Amino acid sequence: MSLDLPARPTSGLRASLRRLADAAVTPLDLDDVLDHFHPLREGTELRGRVVAVRPETTESATIVIKPGKGWRGHVPGQYLRVGVDVDGVRLWRTYSLTHGPRADGHVSITVKGIPDGVVSNHLVHRTRPGTMLQLGQAEGEFVLPQPIPAKLLLVTGGSGITPVIGMLRNLFSRAEPPATDIVLLHSALSRTEVIFGDEIRSYADRGLLRLIELHTDVHGLLDVAELDTLVPDLDERLTFACGPVGLLDALEEHHVARGLPLFVERFRSSFVEPGEGGTVTFASGAVVEADGSTPILDAAEGAGVLMPSGCRMGICYGCVLPLREGAVRDLRNGEVTTAAPGDGVLVQTCINAAAGPCEIEH
């Protein structure tokens, strides 16, 4: 017995069917309709649907996301870019992935609202299940080596716990957790401000790690000079650190002087003292007054200008635009870059501020 199956449409026929479908939904096109009914389909821009928002502290929350079919997965410790529509403007930010293995394929980020943080506060306080987010693929090199070292020191401060919790959840979800000797040194403003506090304490109670928990309101700021007292076998441990710029700078100076290995994840680049600001003019006609301490990217977004962006730390070059004329100042080292019309100079807007009047091609 044989079955007569319909022939697969040829490329020409598919193109004709597509034109008919587009004509039927004019002034939209077929992709607009599909985006409405099936936004997570394969072959479109990567999106995710928020399925849950769980408060962690009064100013932080975990956002659980169902990613589209184009999601390629991640390695614990990596981050992803998240595009959020706030008051009609799409803004991009970078957040660490905080989930362990999930049978449902969902991913999660944990966000701490910061003062005047447009996106962070929107995600923590205004985002609801069903919200659609734009997503990038996982990125970053802040991942544990394989095989896992015999001894680890994890140093985190505040929301710097977020990439590390993803590592720990993945390690401790295994049928046989690794025999690695782990010390977690975490510093937060107070006990109630410790994100994932109950969870990391439970790991210590179960003997999975040794927890050193410091609270600024009781113990003061973490002093890296005390590391040898807190962790007597420091020289035997591979150190991973994530937290405030001051803490990371101090750790780098300490470990370099001692010749100790250190892997650092920075949420923001450390900036030098600000210089002169100026007027930033865009080829689109937008004009933004920017001070000398604010990256051009942030100043433009604050004025409602849609800007390309990526890591926002000067690493990925997703924010690069031509500087047509004027001067900008690198906030990491104070170096001034100037351009005249026709020079073709490219600048990273996430780590450069206006150093007088300047014009950006965008």
Side-chain angles (χ1 to χ4, degrees), residues 71-124:
W71 172 249
R72 296 196 293 264
H74 82 296
V75 178
Q78 289 188 307
Y79 59 84
L80 82 165
R81 296 173 59 230
V82 178
V84 184
D85 293 333
V86 182
D87 298 329
V89 178
R90 178 161 297 165
L91 305 175
W92 288 87
R93 297 293 186 270
T94 302
Y95 296 106
S96 297
L97 290 149
T98 54
H99 60 287
R102 296 183 62 110
D104 57 16
H106 294 169
V107 302
S108 70
I109 57 174
T110 301
V111 181
K112 181 178 180 180
I114 60 175
D116 301 321
V118 175
V119 174
S120 63
N121 284 296
H122 181 88
L123 286 169
V124 172

Side-chain angles (χ1 to χ4, degrees), residues 305-320:
V305 179
L306 293 175
M307 298 282 286
S309 67
C311 66
R312 309 180 80 90
M313 296 183 290
I315 297 173
C316 76
Y317 291 84
C319 66
V320 169

Side-chain angles (χ1 to χ4, degrees), residues 43-306:
T44 187
E45 290 184 338
L46 183 59
R47 299 179 178 88
R49 179 183 291 113
V50 174
V51 297
V53 180
R54 296 197 305 266
E56 298 289 351
T57 67
T58 56
E59 292 300 325
S60 65
T62 291
I63 317 296
V64 181
I65 305 165
K66 178 181 180 180
K69 294 186 181 299
W71 172 249
R72 296 196 293 264
H74 82 296
V75 178
Q78 289 188 307
Y79 59 84
L80 82 165
R81 296 173 59 230
V82 178
V84 184
D85 293 333
V86 182
D87 298 329
V89 178
R90 178 161 297 165
L91 305 175
W92 288 87
R93 297 293 186 270
T94 302
Y95 296 106
S96 297
L97 290 149
T98 54
H99 60 287
R102 296 183 62 110
D104 57 16
H106 294 169
V107 302
S108 70
I109 57 174
T110 301
V111 181
K112 181 178 180 180
I114 60 175
D116 301 321
V118 175
V119 174
S120 63
N121 284 296
H122 181 88
L123 286 169
V124 172
H125 299 297
R126 295 172 57 187
T127 300
R128 299 291 181 267
T131 300
M132 296 299 300
L133 305 174
Q134 300 292 124
L135 302 179
Q137 297 289 351
E139 303 176 65
E141 304 299 325
F142 189 71
V143 299
L144 294 176
Q146 298 297 327
I148 306 297
K151 289 189 174 185
L152 279 174
L153 171 61
L154 308 174
V155 181
T156 57
S159 60
I161 188 68
T162 52
V164 167
I165 200 68
M167 296 176 177
L168 296 177
R169 286 171 171 172
N170 278 270
L171 287 176
F172 299 152
S173 65
R174 300 177 182 179
E176 293 187 12
T180 301
D181 179 345
I182 301 174
V183 173
L184 172 59
L185 172 55
H186 181 66
S187 176
L189 294 176
S190 66
R191 184 179 174 87
T192 58
E193 290 294 310
V194 177
I195 304 173
F196 315 120
D198 290 343
E199 182 175 351
I200 61 175
R201 293 168 198 139
S202 74
Y203 292 151
D205 292 342
R206 292 160 54 193
L208 296 173
L209 54 75
R210 180 164 75 91
L211 174 63
I212 304 171
E213 186 178 339
L214 303 177
H215 308 133
T216 306
D217 61 353
V218 175
H219 308 100
L221 292 173
L222 171 61
D223 184 353
V224 297
E226 299 176 359
L227 279 178
D228 283 307
T229 301
L230 296 170
V231 189
D233 58 351
L234 175 64
D235 289 359
E236 303 172 22
R237 296 180 180 273
L238 185 63
T239 303
F240 282 73
C242 185
V245 169
L247 170 62
L248 299 183
D249 287 346
L251 273 172
E252 286 185 329
E253 181 178 350
H254 174 273
H255 274 54
V256 167
R258 293 273 292 271
L260 299 177
L262 173 67
F263 296 87
V264 166
E265 176 80 314
R266 292 181 180 271
F267 292 151
R268 274 285 189 179
S269 298
S270 54
F271 289 162
V272 298
E273 290 298 315
E276 177 189 5
T279 300
V280 183
T281 303
F282 295 90
S284 63
V287 179
V288 176
E289 291 294 332
D291 62 47
S293 64
T294 302
I296 292 170
L297 172 61
D298 292 350
E301 287 182 342
V305 179
L306 293 175

